[in-house]
Amino acid sequence: MNSMRMSSVRAIELVAGREIGTRLRSRSFLVITIVLVAAVVGTVVLFGFLGRTQQSATPTVGVTAQTARYQQMLVGAGQTAGQRIRTVLVDRAAGESRVRSGDLTALFTGVSDGRLQVVVKSSLPDGLRTGFDLLARQIALNQQISALGGDPATVQRMISTATVDSRSLQPADDHRGELTGIASVVGVLTYIMLLISIQLTGQGVVEEKANRIVELLLATIRPWELLAGKVFGIGVVTIGQVVVLAAAGAGAASALGVLHISAAVLTSAVGWAVLWYLLGYFAYALVIAAAAALVSRQEDLASVATPVTVIVIAAYLVGQTVVPAHPDGVAAVVLSFVPLLSPVVMPMRAVYGVPGQQMAAAVVIALVTIVFTVWLAGRVYANAVLHTGGRVSLRTALARAMPARRVGADSVSPDQDAQRDLEVVEDRPETTAGIGR
């Protein structure tokens, strides 16, 4: 019993090693990895650029000696309008010159009959115009208060101290925007990598059937060993890609100072993303391998792969729609426990923080799902992978008796036969691409 178990482990190692070696030597794998890394780093750089651009977009308004007393009122009006405003004291001639050169956004020169005199190069930006409108109203109000014998400063002080006393049920999250961005990136990367792994696994299974490599391999190893080796091999490669992408994104964000959250929060988000991708990969890869075994041509692969792809797309859309708005809402919590949806939804929720009991329960459900999928996918794969020609129905694949394992009478041992068959596959130019492309 122990020797058979070791032989099975060895067979899985051989198939997995062949998958890993083939993909690491593939130029397309290298190109895809470089493109994905460039996309992740480029996204981080873009966010950093947009953030700096937004900061540099704060308009600068010149004030003269006649309007200097309105500086604080102008800045306060801008804050009310949601527009940051910087002011600088200049004389009128120099101010107009700086407006003409673009150094100043506007020059505030005076107030006459309740109207503000402002000099601009071409037009006044909307946010700044709103600030000036509020300032004009405040000046007009002050003038009316003075005309009625009141003190505008006293009225203004009373207005400024009239506030709302609110009681927060939970502390404010100053990094909510950053967390939302990280969650969105986690969802996108998980979605893309799951689609890539589904495509690689499905294509590999169909190519082996089309080139009849699977018949050679199943002469010495069991179907489930071939399936396990393929899934593990592709999994090692794709999880390596995920780690590289996560490291590239986190490194770029830290280097550019895009994120201001703690390293512990960022590390936790990356760790949960990698773990949930791994759980999602095994579930989806097993399903797509079994589905791909039902067909014998690449042209027919889409017909069996589409339902699996649709589930991945649905998980992504659900995550991006539900999680950012209410990560702890009922919908987000329930959907993060649903098998095949949780690999995308749960790591997005993990960015905001998930109670340990919920995370543990979701992981257990995912593992149970994988165990069931192993049994189901293994049966379908074993019963359909040797069938060539037309598409095998799922009912037939589940009902058909397991194909006999064909071991040559002169075989020295299962391990040596598997090693020999894999070497033969590598030496056949017309079928070398059959495994693991």
Side-chain angles (χ1 to χ4, degrees):
M1 180 68 68
N2 187 52
S3 62
M4 288 298 296
R5 182 178 304 168
M6 291 302 296
S7 295
S8 296
V9 172
R10 180 57 179 161
I12 294 173
E13 289 178 351
L14 291 173
V15 177
R18 180 63 175 81
E19 292 285 345
I20 295 172
T22 300
R23 298 185 188 285
L24 292 181
R25 291 191 299 267
S26 171
R27 180 176 300 179
S28 61
F29 169 80
L30 179 61
V31 171
I32 291 175
T33 303
I34 293 175
V35 169
L36 290 174
V37 170
V40 171
V41 175
T43 301
V44 174
V45 172
L46 178 61
F47 278 126
F49 173 76
L50 293 177
R52 289 182 173 85
T53 301
Q54 186 176 8
Q55 291 179 355
S56 63
T58 302
T60 301
V61 176
V63 295
T64 63
Q66 292 75 23
T67 58
R69 56 179 175 159
Y70 298 116
Q71 287 187 81
Q72 294 300 322
M73 293 176 63
L74 177 59
V75 172
Q79 292 176 346
T80 302
Q83 172 68 66
R84 293 184 57 189
I85 299 175
R86 289 197 298 263
T87 60
V88 57
L89 182 63
V90 295
D91 63 72
R92 182 160 185 163
E96 290 186 2
S97 176
R98 293 178 65 177
V99 169
R100 190 176 294 108
S101 66
D103 188 30
L104 292 180
T105 307
L107 175 64
F108 181 21
T109 60
V111 180
S112 176
D113 296 329
R115 303 178 69 88
L116 308 186
Q117 278 78 50
V118 180
V119 179
V120 296
K121 184 175 182 179
S122 58
S123 62
L124 197 60
D126 291 339
L128 191 56
R129 177 179 293 278
T130 303
F132 273 115
D133 287 340
L134 293 175
L135 175 61
R137 295 168 187 171
Q138 185 62 52
I139 292 175
L141 176 62
N142 290 347
Q143 291 175 347
Q144 291 298 317
I145 293 173
S146 298
L148 294 174
D151 182 9
T154 302
V155 174
Q156 185 64 35
R157 186 167 55 252
M158 294 297 296
I159 293 175
S160 63
T161 57
T163 60
V164 177
D165 186 12
S166 62
R167 182 172 62 89
S168 301
L169 297 179
Q170 60 184 21
D173 189 354
D174 297 332
H175 303 291
R176 182 67 177 219
E178 295 180 2
L179 294 179
T180 300
I182 295 174
S184 297
V185 171
V186 167
V188 170
L189 289 181
T190 305
Y191 164 71
I192 292 175
M193 292 305 300
L194 285 176
L195 288 183
I196 291 176
S197 63
I198 287 174
Q199 181 181 16
L200 291 176
T201 306
Q203 288 180 348
V205 172
V206 176
E207 285 176 354
E208 288 178 356
K209 288 191 63 175
N211 295 329
R212 308 185 77 89
I213 295 174
V214 67
E215 297 179 10
L216 177 64
L217 295 176
L218 292 183
T220 52
I221 62 177
R222 295 183 179 90
W224 72 267
E225 294 169 346
L226 178 58
L227 175 61
K230 177 173 290 296
V231 170
F232 276 115
I234 298 176
V236 169
V237 174
T238 56
I239 196 64
Q241 284 182 307
V242 171
V243 172
V244 170
L245 294 177
S254 300
L256 297 175
V258 175
L259 300 178
H260 300 90
I261 60 176
S262 65
V265 173
L266 183 59
T267 302
S268 175
V270 172
W272 286 121
V274 172
L275 173 63
W276 277 102
Y277 167 76
L278 189 61
L279 295 173
Y281 164 75
F282 280 115
Y284 280 108
L286 289 166
V287 172
I288 197 64
L294 300 175
V295 298
S296 302
R297 300 184 307 169
Q298 291 291 349
E299 295 80 1
D300 300 327
L301 178 59
S303 63
V304 295
T306 297
V308 184
T309 304
V310 167
I311 297 176
V312 179
I313 296 174
Y316 168 72
L317 294 178
V318 166
Q320 295 289 9
T321 303
V322 176
V323 174
H326 302 286
D328 295 323
V330 176
V333 172
V334 172
L335 292 172
S336 64
F337 286 94
V338 177
L340 300 183
L341 296 183
S342 57
V344 179
V345 179
M346 184 57 86
M348 295 181 65
R349 285 192 60 216
V351 173
Y352 301 94
V354 176
Q357 302 89 332
Q358 292 186 16
M359 185 65 73
V363 170
V364 170
I365 293 174
L367 291 174
V368 171
T369 301
I370 291 174
V371 171
F372 173 76
T373 306
V374 167
W375 171 82
L376 182 63
R379 182 173 180 84
V380 173
Y381 181 86
N383 292 341
V385 73
L386 288 177
H387 179 85
T388 58
R391 174 178 173 179
V392 182
S393 67
L394 182 60
R395 178 179 299 179
T396 301
L398 289 173
R400 180 179 300 184
M402 295 283 285
R405 182 166 179 250
R406 300 169 298 161
V407 180
D410 57 344
S411 296
V412 178
S413 71
D415 293 351
Q416 293 176 347
D417 285 343
Q419 179 67 56
R420 179 198 62 196
D421 290 343
L422 286 171
E423 292 174 352
V424 170
V425 168
E426 292 183 356
D427 293 337
R428 293 173 59 183
E430 70 277 10
T431 61
T432 300
I435 298 182
R437 174 172 294 180

